[in-house]
Amino acid sequence: MSNLDEENNILIDTVREFCEKNIDEKKIEEEKIGKNMNSLLASQGFLGAKIGDKYGGSALDDTSYHIILEEISKYSPSIAMKIFMINSLYMPAVINTEYESILSDVSSGKVNVSVDFMNDKYSLDYNSNVSGIIKNILNPDSKNIVLFDKKTIIAESPFKINEKDFMGFKGLKFGDIELDNKYNVVDDKNRKEDIILNSYNDLSAIALGIISGAINKAMEYSKVRTTFGAYLKNYEPLAFKLSEMHSKENILRSILYNNLDKYYTFNFAMDSIVEIARFSVNIHGGYGYFKDFGVEKFYRDAVILKSIFYGNEQLRQLSNHVYSEKLNFI
Amino acid sequence: MSNLDEENNILIDTVREFCEKNIDEKKIEEEKIGKNMNSLLASQGFLGAKIGDKYGGSALDDTSYHIILEEISKYSPSIAMKIFMINSLYMPAVINTEYESILSDVSSGKVNVSVDFMNDKYSLDYNSNVSGIIKNILNPDSKNIVLFDKKTIIAESPFKINEKDFMGFKGLKFGDIELDNKYNVVDDKNRKEDIILNSYNDLSAIALGIISGAINKAMEYSKVRTTFGAYLKNYEPLAFKLSEMHSKENILRSILYNNLDKYYTFNFAMDSIVEIARFSVNIHGGYGYFKDFGVEKFYRDAVILKSIFYGNEQLRQLSNHVYSEKLNFI
Amino acid sequence: MFEEYNDYRKTIRDFALKEFTDGVAAKYDRDEEYPDDLRKKSLSLGIIDMQNPAKILIAIEELCRIDAGLGISVTTPYFGAEVLMLFGNDEQREFLNDVYSGKYILGLGVTEPSGGSDVAHIKTTATKKGDKYILNGSKMFITNGAIADYLVVLARTSNEEKPHHGLSTFLLNTKLNGFKANKLEGKLGVRATNTAELTFNNIELSKDDLIGEEGKGFYYIMTFFNISRIYVAAQALGIAEGAFDKILNYVKSNEIKDENTMFGIADISTRIEASKELTYNAASYLFKFEPRPQLTSMAKAYAGETAVYSSEKAMEILGVNSLNENVERIFRNAKIMEIWEGTSDVEKLIISRFILKGE
Amino acid sequence: MFEEYNDYRKTIRDFALKEFTDGVAAKYDRDEEYPDDLRKKSLSLGIIDMQNPAKILIAIEELCRIDAGLGISVTTPYFGAEVLMLFGNDEQREFLNDVYSGKYILGLGVTEPSGGSDVAHIKTTATKKGDKYILNGSKMFITNGAIADYLVVLARTSNEEKPHHGLSTFLLNTKLNGFKANKLEGKLGVRATNTAELTFNNIELSKDDLIGEEGKGFYYIMTFFNISRIYVAAQALGIAEGAFDKILNYVKSNEIKDENTMFGIADISTRIEASKELTYNAASYLFKFEPRPQLTSMAKAYAGETAVYSSEKAMEILGVNSLNENVERIFRNAKIMEIWEGTSDVEKLIISRFILKGE
């Protein structure tokens, strides 16, 4: 990572040290991200990584923000997702609106906020009332939630939550909400697409962390586990595949931090993540199927991340982007 | 390619202009690279790209050399292979030996040289005579040929050539040689592995050119060809796949010129090249199967390049390299 | 050979649709609890007919198509029965009737913590002492481990030059002193099935508990796996079909027509069709006692990969709509298909060995 | 259904091994020349029995396993015959005997320069003029185009609202005035086969040259492709097997035992087994007149991809040793399998259409 400078490297060390000391993902998945963890994340400036300092945030540049997302994802994709939802999705929706002052309570961990990714349908009336069902939302226990209708709106708590169990980003609460709430318009346009487009590199950083966490688990295991009288790493088909995946991890890191076109980086991340996480589980044999070994969570979160953020719509955007480019040849 | 400077960009333009004006790959494949082309390549300083100026070479740095290989491969993988054999394989074997003065005639295009990639077996006797069969050699019509036995040796022409038709890098002659020739030792070690290892980035540059040439053909075709009443580029499965391949092309270019670990770059190049070249043929339908459309050559050369230079041995090297690295995590 | 059972197939499917509702499947998945009531219900309907392997195969496929956690749970109380059927004495085969009737739950104890797929090197010992065997050691990832009444157990009875020569199989009553089962929790999928770690501490086995001959255990277990693999292929096939059902349902009810999704449907359905034909073909040889282990391994490896592929594609095509436990559960269930009873890697070595030997 | 022909299979294989030697195959490949002598030899041995589609399928598979360029060349002089057989009048069916006997070489002219797989929008016209039709237009990539005595040609006879309603099929004598064939050279593979671009310049066809009814040509051709696709699947299967033979031969004779190669062998053999079962299964429905077009398309698409996969793997596993024209020729031949008679993309749309319709 020669493209990162001294300051970046100090940040990497700091985040790793924090994670080593404070993050027990198994516990987080069981108990959800609680008050203590929120305070810890806030005190490190992670919750408000991109939020301006007038709201108590860290106002970090992109590289630093990506380092935080990557490093935390290696330990806890759930926490990274929480930070991402605040900084990459919620903040861009509320900044420069009457809601931006809430960012203080967000960066200090006092309140949760959320964004509805689903293509849910709502009914809005003239009394600023929104009704309908929000399905499958992360962080339903929020102060308010950004919804994308024809306009970009914010629904105000309290919410009637039907909490559900869910196997991805399990550190966050998850469920459906029966809406019958007040709302306010924060933008006259539906900003979903533009907000997600702007977050491609952030998502790639989370993907990189998941990939890296999974591969490292697998490589470590391949060095200590024996079968048929030899270490796993001495079985060439496994070693070759792990090494190829490790190459891809480093390529993704290189293009992310070298700031290659975000469409390419995101496509590469989404193209690699599931295969890598899946194979990292496989390497562990039966143990990989159990939570205790801390590898299956990467597979779950990899698939869920891709399900939420990468589909035909994103491929269409990539394709439009590519076909509108001047080709580098002829 | 923000990592390339002004001078690099001028070189790119120069090479492209040269290729546009002088290279007709169909003709090259039919008539082989002849005297005129050799002179042209020599006069541009391409033949001796890495050879020092005391032997009339251009003494270029790696980036410039890779630009030449990439750009020429887009037009003629055969010519790029010729340049590669001289600069990446032959020169490293003879430099600092009594043979290095031949490099003058090589960089001026007066003589051909070659290197035996096959694991052929030779018999050496005490009268400096080497016998045996060299199978499947590119450029058999050479002044001399580097062979890898227990030592690195050079066999001297004239060679008894059994020319054969061959479908890869068709601009070069190809065939078997019945050896009964004088030889000299240029190194007491078999340097094959170390020479090829050192040429990983050079091979990646050729691969990048092949990939780029193939994709550009396919993308151009997808913009002008209609089927079932619409342009090919409007069929999403095709457009998506082309766009994903185009992403990979740009990723490869980024990591090559940013000088990422050569093992990773080469693995990525070899992992992508065949699929991309194959799909570029597919896009052309029946036309893709014919030489006239200039795309099937990329598929042929892609497969042959990989067959020669990438197999279990290289995967083993990658794997050893990866497992000997300090992991970036924990 | 399988078309004649189309009515039976429908009976099974109707049972699964009625009993394995989304709510029920989600509950057992969440609670990681074995569905003993469903086992009993399936028994009372006589759904599993151990005398007819083709019907077992179909039942497994159709049940797993609706829910693999429940489907495997109700078809696995007989796991290991073939060892007794083929190699047991009269009394042991007699005992099987109580397994078929549901009085007893059976299981198979082969895998060990350090062993994985490396069966020949297991460390559990059954040391002869007079006319008894003293069983010591531990087993890992044992399906039914904490609910089984009896287990077919593989243990070392002697040390031979070739390690697989010294192994024997026993029928172990789990009520015996020295037996301990520790239910393993936190599985990614098939969470309704029961999985346990077992420890054997000086368990006294009588010589009547020996199955077949001493020293032939490895062979018995390999023979068993050559049979049971086909049932894993059927599990995987069912899961792949179940995932595809979700995709079709989604595509149809949302009137999705884009070509990229159509290509996805073509790819998935082709792989499922190939899995089905590989599985049925391998099964048809096996069930007429002409086993072709390489075909069985191909079926298992290919169907296992297809289960994972289809379920991941379901997540991808349904996108945010897949964040529904009745879809994502399928993808979590699928993964085990590449792992148990020989990882896909082991299958590949079996296939290549037979192919190279065969010509 | 196919095992009963094992003796026939052996006859074909022996013929191919004897006649399609490496030297012969390499020569026709290099020269891009149609092997008329081999066609005649195969005829004199009665290798192709058009009355028995199962035998045709086996012949194609076994011949292409040895060399696809030659194998396709000797089995393709009948190309298009099914159109006459199913839809022709008595006289036209009578004429087929001269095709089967080898007196005439037949071909099929459907694809056009601008059309590719888009059959409904062909531009060649057959304009009625009295009781004649005047044929004008051009065809592209026509197998046997420059050597055929007769061609089954699709042309537009009227302009209808739905473009595929106005098409008709004709039996065209290539000696007629106005017919021109331009042999296309420079193919990547199957270079022994003859491929041509055709131009029709005011060719006068009589009404007796019409095959079946006017306006039904599109339906006839689609019916034909639903049959002929299975033979393409067999070509692809043969190529995949041929590539695998090269791998096995190399691995055995060099005593290669590394596990990565073993995994490769397992993967390739599994895909070939799946291709075989898909092909034979689809064929068995087709040959008892219960065609299931989606199964045929699956077989063709999957076997085509497997041919390419296996041959590329052969290049990879043999490494520098693959630079031998008898190995690299296989990989060049394989590619056409994903292209002709409907690219894999078209197959995928057919599959998904049937799947979505079917349930």
Side-chain angles (χ1 to χ4, degrees), chain C residues 13-151:
Chain C
R13 183 169 170 82
D14 290 344
F15 170 80
L17 284 170
K18 184 169 162 241
E19 301 295 341
F20 297 0
T21 59
D22 286 345
V24 169
K27 181 189 169 301
Y28 283 106
D29 178 62
R30 262 197 304 274
D31 299 346
E32 240 176 327
E33 189 198 330
Y34 181 80
D36 206 50
D37 53 335
L38 288 170
R39 176 181 75 95
K40 286 180 181 143
K41 234 180 225 173
S42 75
L43 278 165
S44 70
L45 291 169
I47 275 185
I48 302 296
D49 174 0
M50 285 300 284
Q51 310 307 317
N52 188 331
K55 286 169 82 173
I56 301 176
L57 189 93
I58 289 167
I60 290 173
E61 178 190 346
E62 291 301 327
L63 295 172
C64 288
R65 182 170 184 162
I66 308 301
D67 186 76
L70 300 176
I72 295 169
S73 291
V74 306
T75 52
T76 207
Y78 321 95
F79 194 57
E82 286 89 346
V83 179
L84 294 165
M85 208 190 299
L86 293 173
F87 307 110
N89 56 31
D90 290 350
E91 211 176 321
Q92 287 163 339
R93 278 194 302 235
E94 188 78 13
F95 157 84
L96 274 182
N97 292 327
D98 285 340
V99 173
Y100 300 158
S101 73
K103 184 174 168 193
Y104 295 135
I105 292 179
L106 192 65
L108 181 80
V110 172
T111 304
E112 301 196 347
S114 63
S117 300
D118 185 5
V119 174
H121 288 91
I122 60 159
K123 291 173 181 154
T124 294
T125 53
T127 313
K128 210 160 186 170
K129 204 177 166 185
D131 58 356
K132 292 198 184 317
Y133 293 90
I134 310 300
L135 188 70
N136 278 292
S138 56
K139 296 286 174 184
M140 196 62 179
F141 306 132
I142 304 305
T143 300
N144 298 342
I147 57 169
D149 300 289
Y150 287 87
L151 289 165

Side-chain angles (χ1 to χ4, degrees), chain B residues 167 278 282 287 291 299 312, chain D residues 113 186 188 258 312 332 335:
Chain B
M167 296 303 279
R278 183 200 314 128
N282 286 11
Y287 293 100
K291 200 188 280 181
Y299 179 50
N312 271 351
Chain D
L188 174 62
D258 73 275
E312 285 179 1
R332 288 186 289 103
K335 190 79 213 65

